[in-house]
Amino acid sequence: MTEIATSIVDTMREPVLVLEPDLTVLHANRSFYSCFHTSEAETVGRQLRELGNGQWNIPALRQLLEEMLDENDIVENYRVEHEFETIGKRVMLLNARRLQQSPDRKRIFLAISDVTERERLENELIASNEFSEKLIDSIREGLLVLTPDLVVESANKTFYDLFRVSPEETEGRTIYDIGNGQWDIPALRRALEDVLPHDHRFDDFEVTHEFPAIGRRIMLLNGRALDHLPRILLAIRDETEKRRHESEQKVMVGELQHRVKNILANVHSIATATLRRSNSLAEFEAAFLDRLKSLARTQDLLLRESSGCVDLHELVSWELAAHGWEEDGRLTIDGPEVTLSRREAQAFAMLVHELATNAVKHGAFARSGGRLDITWNIARANGRDNLSFEWREDGVAIDKQPSSSGFGSGLIRRSVGHMLGGTSSLDFSPRGAICKVEFALDA
């Protein structure tokens, strides 16, 4: 090689080898020695496959150079991956030229680009991009990436699923144009055009909007203008279901408070009425606990139904069963299907309890020949359904009319009159008690 050619090769930053036709090294530049941790004495005059204790005995490289001598004059960016003893795994791009010195002498100029680090960084970048894409798609909030002029660059899967739009309808359009203008929302414009340019961020900006495809939605928006990239991130959290659940929970808590208040009022009323009609503490205890059990049975029925309503037939049957009576030859229960509200059920259960308690002590349930017929019907009047209920005992000889204080008629009147807004009557025929109740059912 001439002195000028040698100087040019030595100044190149890439490792370079000049090879004889038999692949003996004629010259190597300083970059080659530095990159592959070898010296001139260990390199020049040796076969390529012998360099570095055989480290350069690379079949792919040898095949490339031998084929080049036979067929081609140029090889560009031929990728070779090899594990070297001294420097580890390297990825190289080889560029070779055949130099025609004479018809029978063809040297090879071999430039070696070490792209190990570059490929590592490229792979890390690809992996990082893939990680970012997968991470963004896994976010449960809708996410938009916007350019400074508010054109949508990309969106995550949550956004497409939530707002029922496609990438074709979204990417490359301004945010106000996507979804046939669904996002042209004044509140959103204020956030993006007024707040974001000055503060570079906004948090939990609430927007309520009616979308044609998905209806009314309540959203919390969080925006960020990136510091080192001209992009805007807009995160959209759909709060609609959460707000609905919170509203339902608030109603449920209010309803629970109302129920507890009503139950405590009932307990107070029962205690007061029982105390007034009791002649001793033992008598009060027995009657009071009995009535509390009736109230508890009603609450059990109410809790079984999510609507808080109770079937009249079931309520009557439960109360009578608690006193040991079931529908048989001595007991009939007959009437159309009637659903009582929570308020009606609590009041009506107390009425049935008082009647059943008296029947056990003095009436039909206290005599072997006694019987009980319970009937009701519904009549429509003044735009409302009115319930007419009758309790009729038979087969009981009554010599004199029981006192009202002993029968609990005060509780019956209070249950019907005060709580149900209806009327009641309690009569005693020679054959047993007859109670009639009428009131308008809740709509």
Side-chain angles (χ1 to χ4, degrees):
M1 293 176 60
T2 65
E3 183 179 351
I4 295 176
T6 300
S7 297
I8 292 173
V9 169
D10 285 343
T11 59
M12 295 178 66
R13 297 180 62 183
E14 291 183 333
V16 172
L17 290 175
V18 179
L19 305 173
E20 295 287 6
D22 62 353
L23 304 184
T24 299
V25 178
L26 176 65
H27 183 76
N29 68 351
R30 285 176 292 182
S31 292
F32 180 87
Y33 298 136
S34 174
C35 182
F36 295 102
H37 298 182
T38 186
S39 64
E40 182 177 357
E42 296 172 309
T43 305
V44 175
R46 293 174 176 261
Q47 286 280 313
L48 179 64
R49 64 177 180 274
E50 297 172 350
L51 298 184
N53 296 321
Q55 291 186 53
W56 282 87
N57 187 17
I58 306 172
L61 174 60
R62 190 168 63 250
Q63 181 181 359
L64 167 71
L65 297 176
E66 289 173 351
E67 289 178 354
M68 177 185 173
L69 291 175
D70 295 335
E71 300 176 4
N72 304 308
D73 291 330
I74 298 174
V75 172
E76 293 183 340
N77 293 327
Y78 187 85
R79 187 178 183 279
V80 172
E81 187 173 321
H82 188 66
E83 187 79 31
F84 291 92
E85 288 183 9
T86 54
I87 60 175
K89 183 181 179 181
R90 312 306 291 178
V91 179
M92 301 169 289
L93 294 181
L94 307 182
N95 289 274
R97 297 289 187 277
R98 187 167 57 178
L99 306 176
Q100 188 76 35
Q101 297 295 106
S102 62
D104 58 346
R105 191 171 183 81
K106 301 176 182 179
R107 289 175 178 166
I108 298 173
F109 182 89
L110 180 64
I112 305 164
S113 294
D114 186 352
V115 295
T116 309
E117 188 64 16
R118 188 183 80 187
E119 284 202 1
R120 184 186 68 80
L121 292 175
E122 288 175 350
N123 289 334
E124 286 183 357
L125 181 60
I126 292 171
S128 177
N129 288 338
E130 182 182 4
F131 175 78
S132 299
E133 290 174 359
K134 296 290 177 62
L135 178 63
I136 288 172
D137 275 342
S138 69
I139 293 174
R140 298 180 64 182
E141 296 181 346
L143 189 66
L144 290 174
V145 180
L146 308 174
T147 63
D149 53 356
L150 305 183
V151 172
V152 180
E153 185 175 83
S154 63
N156 68 347
K157 185 177 184 297
T158 302
F159 178 85
Y160 294 129
D161 292 344
L162 180 59
F163 296 102
R164 300 179 189 175
V165 291
S166 65
E168 293 75 21
E169 297 173 301
T170 305
E171 295 174 6
R173 303 187 181 196
T174 66
I175 188 171
Y176 307 129
D177 292 331
I178 61 178
N180 294 322
Q182 292 186 43
W183 285 88
D184 191 2
I185 306 170
L188 178 59
R189 279 186 178 271
R190 289 196 300 273
L192 292 174
E193 298 175 13
D194 298 338
V195 179
L196 192 62
H198 296 95
D199 297 338
H200 297 285
R201 62 182 291 170
F202 56 82
D203 294 304
D204 293 336
F205 192 90
E206 185 170 318
V207 172
T208 301
H209 187 65
E210 187 78 28
F211 291 91
I214 60 175
R216 182 177 179 271
R217 312 307 290 182
I218 301 171
M219 301 169 290
L220 290 182
L221 308 182
N222 291 274
R224 295 292 185 275
L226 301 185
D227 295 329
H228 303 293
L229 189 67
R231 294 293 183 273
I232 297 168
L233 296 182
L234 180 63
I236 305 156
R237 184 164 72 248
D238 185 1
E239 291 281 288
T240 310
E241 289 302 308
K242 180 182 176 183
R243 295 292 177 86
R244 183 180 65 81
H245 289 314
E246 289 175 350
S247 178
E248 290 177 351
Q249 187 175 33
K250 186 176 181 181
V251 171
M252 288 176 63
V253 171
E255 176 67 17
L256 179 61
Q257 291 173 337
H258 181 69
R259 292 179 187 179
V260 171
K261 183 178 179 181
N262 283 344
I263 291 172
L264 292 177
N266 286 338
V267 172
H268 180 267
S269 177
I270 292 170
T272 302
T274 306
L275 183 62
R276 188 180 300 120
R277 292 171 173 80
S278 299
N279 297 317
S280 66
L281 183 60
E283 184 180 342
F284 167 79
E285 179 184 17
F288 179 67
L289 292 179
D290 198 33
R291 284 164 177 161
L292 276 186
K293 291 176 183 178
S294 175
L295 182 62
R297 285 193 293 273
T298 306
Q299 297 306 312
D300 286 341
L301 278 176
L302 292 169
L303 289 173
R304 285 173 50 186
E305 299 294 334
S306 59
S307 63
C309 297
V310 175
D311 179 72
L312 175 57
H313 191 290
E314 186 175 20
L315 184 148
V316 172
S317 297
W318 266 50
E319 188 60 45
L320 293 178
H323 289 80
W325 274 62
E326 297 180 354
E327 291 184 73
D328 53 21
R330 299 176 60 197
L331 169 65
T332 61
I333 303 174
D334 184 44
E337 182 178 345
V338 175
T339 299
L340 300 179
S341 68
R342 181 177 299 278
R343 178 185 66 87
E344 293 166 338
Q346 290 175 339
F348 207 81
M350 291 304 303
L351 179 147
V352 176
H353 173 74
E354 294 304 319
L355 291 170
T357 299
N358 180 73
V360 169
K361 291 180 178 180
H362 312 290
F365 298 171
R367 304 288 188 273
S368 59
R371 63 171 289 109
L372 172 63
D373 295 297
I374 300 174
T375 59
W376 64 83
N377 59 72
I378 299 293
R380 187 76 175 174
N382 300 322
R384 300 186 65 178
D385 289 332
N386 292 278
L387 174 67
S388 295
F389 176 90
E390 182 177 273
W391 172 291
R392 181 179 292 273
E393 296 180 26
D394 195 11
V396 182
I398 299 179
D399 297 329
K400 63 178 181 177
Q401 182 168 314
S403 66
S404 61
S405 60
F407 191 78
S409 57
L411 278 176
I412 294 175
R413 286 194 300 270
R414 188 163 31 255
S415 295
V416 178
H418 295 177
M419 298 184 67
L420 297 175
T423 61
S424 64
S425 65
L426 180 60
D427 298 311
F428 297 92
S429 73
R431 297 186 61 80
I434 301 172
C435 181
K436 295 181 180 181
V437 173
E438 292 187 2
F439 64 94
L441 295 170
D442 288 340

